[in-house]
Amino acid sequence: MTTDSLSNLMDERRTFAPDSGFAAAANVDAGWYTAADADREGFWAAQARRLSWESEWSSVLDWSDAPVAKWFVGGRLNVAYNCVDRHVEAGLGDRVAIHWEGESGDGRTITYADLLREVSKTANALVSLGLRAGDRVAIQLPMIPEAIYAMLACARLGLVHSVVFGGFSPTALRSRVDDAQARLLITSDGQFRRGNAAPMKANTDEAIAGCASIEHVLVVRRTGSTVEWTEGRDVWWHDLVDGQSDTHTPEAFDAEHPLFILYTSGTTGNPKGILHTSGGYLTQVAYTHHAVFDLKPETDVYWCTADIGWVTGHSYIVYGPLANGATQVVYEGTPDSPHQGRHFEIIQKYGVSIYYTAPTLIRTFMKWGDEIPAGYDLSSLRLLGSVGEPINPEAWMWYREHLGGQRCPIVDTWWQTETGAIMISPLPGVTSTKPGSAQRPLPGVGARVVDDAGVEVGPGGGGYLVLDKPWPSMLRGIWGDEERFRSTYWSRFDGFYFAGDGAKYDADGDIWLLGRVDDVMNVSGHRISTTEVESALVSHPSVAEAAVVGATDATTGQGIVAFVILRGGQDAEVASQLRDHVAKEIGPIAKPRQVLVVPELPKTRSGKIMRRLLRDIAENRAVGDTTTLADSSVMALISSGLNPAE
Ligand code: ATP
Ligand code: MG
C-alpha cells in the first residue's frame, strides 16, 4: 500500500462535532494532547498515579534493552488489590461491580465487597494447590463470574494466567497449555450455548491427556452435566473454593512481574503467545478506560460484549473497568439467544450507558433489521465503542442512528493483543468524529503512517501503521520465542513497532485503518485495500456483510473476489449490480472479478473475518489452519454452495 492507494470512500465528508453538554462534563480535554507531547514520561507517571503502589518507581521508562521495555522501574504493586480491595477500603464495597446475566436469564449481582471475598477465597484455594508466583495457570471457562475470580486470584498471587476461548478445540487448548507449561487448568463441566448445555470438560480432558505439566484441573459446575473424573487430579471448584477463608492479604510484585500470556486471534497465521506485565499494563488500561469511555464510576453502567478469552475481555472487562471501580454488565450468552433483541433487552434492563462491541455484531444487527432495536428503550446509552476490525462507514452510521439515537459519540478504537490497550481513538467530547476513521493516537501514544522506506507519508498518503514510541502496556515478548518477537514486530522498520496493518492519512491528517498488510491486493499494479472494497459493498442496500480477497490472476496479477452475505436472502441478479456498484463507488479498477453470494463468512472467535481461508477457496487450494475459527463447519458450508467454474 503505497501512495498510489486509491482514495475513495475514505474521503468521508461527514463529521460529528462533540455535543457541548457532553464536552463540558468530559473526563478529558484537548489540553491532554499538549501535556503529553510536552512531557511524555511525566504524563505517563501521572496516569500511573491512578493506581495504588506499595512503593513508587525510581524511573518511568528504561528503554536501554529495546525492544524489551521496562516501565515504572522498581515500582511495586498488586494488580488485584488495585482492581478490588482498594475500592472496598475506600468505602465502595456496596457498589455493584458486576451485573452478571446468564444466558438463560439467571443472574447474579456482585458488589465490590462480594468480589473481594470471592477473589480471596479463590486465591487461598490456589495456594492450597501449591501454586507459587510465576507459575502458569490455563483458564478455559464460559463467561461466568468464576472466570473473573480466577483471573484476579492469579493476579493477586503473581501467577501468570493464560485464558483460552471457551469454544476452542482440544488441539488449540493443548498447544497453549504446552507452550506455557501450565501447572493448573481451570475449566467447567459444560457451557450453555443457545439454550443447550455443551460439554467443556470432555474437551479439556482430551486436550490434556498425557500432558505432563498439568497437576490439577479445577472444575466449576455450570451446566450440571455428568463428567468423567480423574481422582487426584480433578477438583470441584465448590469443594475446594467454597470452604476457604474469605480474607487474603495481597503481596506486592515488581511492576515488570508477568501478569498474563494471551494468544492472538490467528487471523494472519499461527497464534503468538503475547506476554504482558503488571504496572505499565494496568496503568494504560485504567487510563484509556477513563479517557476513551469517559467513565463516571458513580453513575455509568458499562458493558463490553467481548469474551474474556480475547484481549478486549482482559483489558476492558477485567482489568480496566475494575481498576476504575466501574459497574458493568457481563453477559454469558450469544446475542440471538433466546431472541435477536437480547442485547437491547439487557441495555434496557440495566440502563447500560456505555456499550462497547465489534463491527461484526453491528453488521449482524443491521442484517437482523432496524425494527429490533427500535422495540426497546435505549435512551440510557450515552457513548458507543467499536473494536476488532475497521468499521465500515455505513455500519458506523447505522450504529449512531439505531443504537445511539444520533446523540452518542462513537469511539472507534484501534489496538491489538500486542498493544495491550487502546492506542488510536477519538476522545469523546473532544474529537469531531468521522464514520470509519480511528483518527488520532491517544495522548501519550506515538503512531504514524510510513512508506516502504519508513518515511512518514503526507496527508492523503497511504502505507504502514507503525508505533514510534514505547508505551506502558506494550508486549514484553512472545512467550518462549524472542526471535519471533524481534522478527515479527521490530525488523521491518528501524526503531518502529510494525503493527502489520495498512493505514492512510486523510486530508486532515486523521488515520484510517485499511486492513492487514497481507490483505492488501495488487490489481494491475494498483494497491487496493480489502477494507475499501468491502465498505463499498456494504454501502449497497442489499449487502449485509462482505469479505474481499485478491486471488492470483494471469492477466492482472491479482483479481478481486468478493464474498457477500445478502440482507434478506438470495438474489441471482445481484452479482452484476454489485460489481457495477463498486466500480461506481471506487473506480473501474476496483470492480470485483467475481462476486460470490455465501450464507456465512469464516470468522475467528473474536469476530474477525479470516480472509486467508477465503483466499484458499478463491485460488482453489485446500483450506489452511482452521483451529481458531468460531464455527468449523462454515468452510464446508461456503465451499458447497459455490460453483468453482464461476
Ligand atoms: P493474529 O495477529 O494472530 O493474526 P489478530 O491480529 O486478529 O490475530 P488481535 O490482536 O485480536 O489478533 O487483533 C488486532 C487486529 O485487529 C489489529 O491489528 C487490526 O488489524 C484489527 N483491529 C482492531 N481494532 C481495529 C479498529 N478499530 N480498526 C481497524 N482494525 C482494527
Ligand atoms: Mg495481529
Side-chain angles (χ1 to χ4, degrees):
M1 192 151 13
T2 48
T3 37
D4 68 349
S5 215
L6 291 176
S7 76
N8 45 68
L9 291 178
M10 306 300 163
D11 280 332
E12 179 65 57
R13 295 283 175 239
R14 294 170 287 201
T15 60
F16 298 91
D19 170 80
S20 58
F22 193 108
N27 285 353
V28 289
D29 60 46
W32 286 49
Y33 291 108
T34 20
D37 285 346
D39 177 9
R40 244 173 46 83
E41 291 189 12
F43 175 82
W44 282 118
Q47 301 314 316
R49 292 199 181 90
R50 297 178 177 284
L51 308 178
S52 167
W53 295 76
E54 191 207 55
S55 52
E56 241 196 51
W57 51 91
S58 53
S59 64
V60 173
L61 170 65
D62 176 359
W63 191 228
S64 61
D65 190 27
V68 182
K70 288 195 187 69
W71 279 88
F72 308 112
V73 183
R76 295 180 72 80
L77 81 172
N78 185 288
V79 168
Y81 172 84
N82 273 280
C83 293
V84 188
D85 309 43
R86 64 172 177 148
H87 306 310
V88 178
E89 288 172 10
L92 303 173
D94 291 340
R95 180 183 291 170
V96 174
I98 297 167
H99 290 291
W100 179 74
E101 174 88 7
E103 193 193 71
S104 54
D106 52 336
R108 285 186 237 167
T109 303
I110 301 151
T111 64
Y112 275 93
D114 296 332
L115 191 59
L116 177 57
R117 283 189 288 271
E118 295 301 332
V119 172
S120 299
K121 285 197 285 188
T122 311
N124 287 324
L126 299 187
V127 170
S128 79
L129 292 176
L131 293 157
R132 290 178 310 269
D135 287 344
R136 273 81 60 203
V137 175
I139 301 175
Q140 187 174 42
L141 282 171
M143 288 289 287
I144 53 177
E146 287 80 0
I148 297 173
Y149 306 157
M151 290 167 75
L152 290 171
C154 287
R156 194 173 186 89
L157 299 172
L159 305 171
V160 184
H161 59 67
S162 166
V163 181
V164 180
F165 272 125
F168 273 175
S169 68
T171 319
L173 175 60
R174 175 61 181 255
S175 69
R176 287 159 176 74
V177 167
D178 278 344
D179 189 48
Q181 288 291 294
R183 290 184 66 191
L184 172 71
L185 170 66
I186 307 181
T187 189
S188 64
D189 53 353
Q191 60 180 333
F192 289 116
R193 271 292 169 266
R194 299 197 167 86
N196 300 314
M200 182 89 122
K201 185 167 188 295
N203 291 341
T204 57
D205 282 345
E206 185 185 333
I208 61 165
C211 169
S213 71
I214 293 286
E215 294 163 18
H216 288 104
V217 180
L218 184 57
V219 188
V220 179
R221 183 180 280 156
R222 171 61 185 137
T223 56
S225 331
T226 34
V227 291
E228 304 223 339
W229 207 253
T230 303
E231 284 307 328
R233 184 195 71 181
D234 298 350
V235 190
W236 281 113
W237 178 286
H238 52 263
D239 284 344
L240 184 71
V241 178
D242 288 3
Q244 298 287 336
S245 155
D246 62 7
T247 59
H248 174 270
T249 309
E251 169 196 347
F253 293 96
D254 190 88
E256 287 299 339
H257 188 80
L259 181 63
F260 65 83
I261 304 167
L262 183 64
Y263 293 80
T264 57
S265 314
T267 312
T268 51
N270 291 338
K272 304 168 277 282
I274 302 302
L275 175 67
H276 283 288
T277 59
S278 303
Y281 171 81
L282 197 64
T283 294
Q284 194 167 336
V285 296
Y287 152 59
T288 50
H289 186 258
H290 170 84
V292 175
F293 298 108
D294 191 49
L295 180 85
K296 310 282 196 270
E298 302 79 20
T299 47
D300 274 319
V301 179
Y302 165 86
W303 183 18
C304 166
T305 71
D307 190 285
I308 45 139
W310 182 25
V311 71
T312 306
H314 283 56
S315 301
Y316 297 106
I317 294 177
V318 181
Y319 294 111
L322 296 176
N324 288 341
T327 294
Q328 67 178 320
V329 170
V330 173
Y331 172 51
E332 177 186 35
T334 51
D336 55 354
S337 189
H339 57 80
Q340 294 175 338
R342 189 62 194 274
H343 274 216
F344 314 122
E345 184 181 76
I346 292 173
I347 291 170
Q348 175 178 291
K349 174 173 173 186
Y350 294 104
V352 170
S353 54
I354 302 171
Y355 180 75
Y356 188 32
T357 196
T360 181
L361 188 63
I362 299 166
R363 292 187 301 257
T364 302
F365 289 153
M366 291 169 74
K367 184 167 61 184
W368 286 344
D370 304 354
E371 67 288 354
I372 301 178
Y376 295 87
D377 178 4
L378 305 180
S379 60
S380 58
L381 288 170
R382 65 179 198 92
L383 185 142
L384 302 173
S386 171
V387 62
E389 287 186 293
I391 177 165
N392 320 101
E394 288 319 306
W396 195 102
M397 291 300 292
W398 188 94
Y399 197 25
R400 179 179 153 84
E401 180 177 346
H402 295 279
L403 267 81
Q406 317 275 21
R407 77 187 171 273
C408 301
I410 297 180
V411 288
D412 175 7
T413 63
W414 178 89
W415 59 296
Q416 309 177 301
T417 309
E418 295 88 337
T419 70
I422 298 171
M423 302 292 281
I424 305 177
S425 167
L427 280 180
V430 178
T431 315
S432 286
T433 54
K434 281 182 195 169
S437 171
Q439 299 189 287
R440 277 186 77 172
L442 292 178
V445 171
R448 48 175 116 163
V449 182
V450 300
D451 66 15
D452 275 307
V455 178
E456 185 166 24
V457 302
Y464 307 92
L465 181 71
V466 298
L467 302 170
D468 60 2
K469 295 182 189 74
W471 63 99
S473 63
M474 69 195 295
L475 75 166
R476 301 303 197 262
I478 294 179
W479 185 259
D481 199 345
E482 175 161 352
E483 181 39 42
R484 193 177 178 200
F485 169 60
R486 288 175 191 270
S487 65
T488 308
Y489 308 108
W490 301 98
S491 66
R492 179 69 182 78
F493 298 106
D494 197 24
F496 294 156
Y497 170 89
F498 173 53
D501 286 342
K504 70 175 275 180
Y505 290 125
D506 65 15
D508 304 327
D510 281 325
I511 295 175
W512 293 75
L513 277 307
L514 299 180
R516 315 315 174 97
V517 170
D518 308 5
D519 288 338
V520 172
M521 303 171 290
N522 191 330
V523 183
S524 306
H526 294 267
R527 315 277 280 176
I528 300 176
S529 119
T530 47
T531 301
E532 290 179 293
V533 180
E534 287 163 9
S535 288
L537 288 163
V538 172
S539 75
H540 189 279
S542 50
V543 176
E545 284 218 70
V548 163
V549 299
T552 311
D553 187 292
T555 329
T556 57
Q558 280 189 317
I560 301 178
V561 180
F563 296 79
V564 297
I565 302 180
L566 299 181
R567 290 200 198 202
Q570 312 283 331
D571 173 357
E573 295 302 301
V574 82
S576 72
Q577 288 170 20
L578 291 178
R579 296 176 67 238
D580 293 344
H581 178 73
V582 174
K584 185 172 122 276
E585 291 289 312
I586 304 184
I589 188 71
K591 192 170 183 164
R593 183 181 81 186
Q594 286 164 284
V595 174
L596 304 172
V597 176
V598 291
E600 266 308 332
L601 291 171
K603 287 182 190 158
T604 63
R605 281 282 297 183
S606 50
K608 293 173 211 283
I609 298 168
M610 291 176 89
R611 291 180 191 75
R612 65 180 166 86
L613 299 180
L614 294 174
R615 229 170 7 241
D616 291 339
I617 291 192
E619 297 183 339
N620 296 316
R621 266 196 306 276
V623 296
D625 181 2
T626 56
T627 49
T628 63
L629 262 186
D631 175 355
S632 53
S633 64
V634 160
M635 291 315 293
L637 199 66
I638 294 172
S639 312
S640 68
L642 296 181
N643 169 6
E646 232 178 303

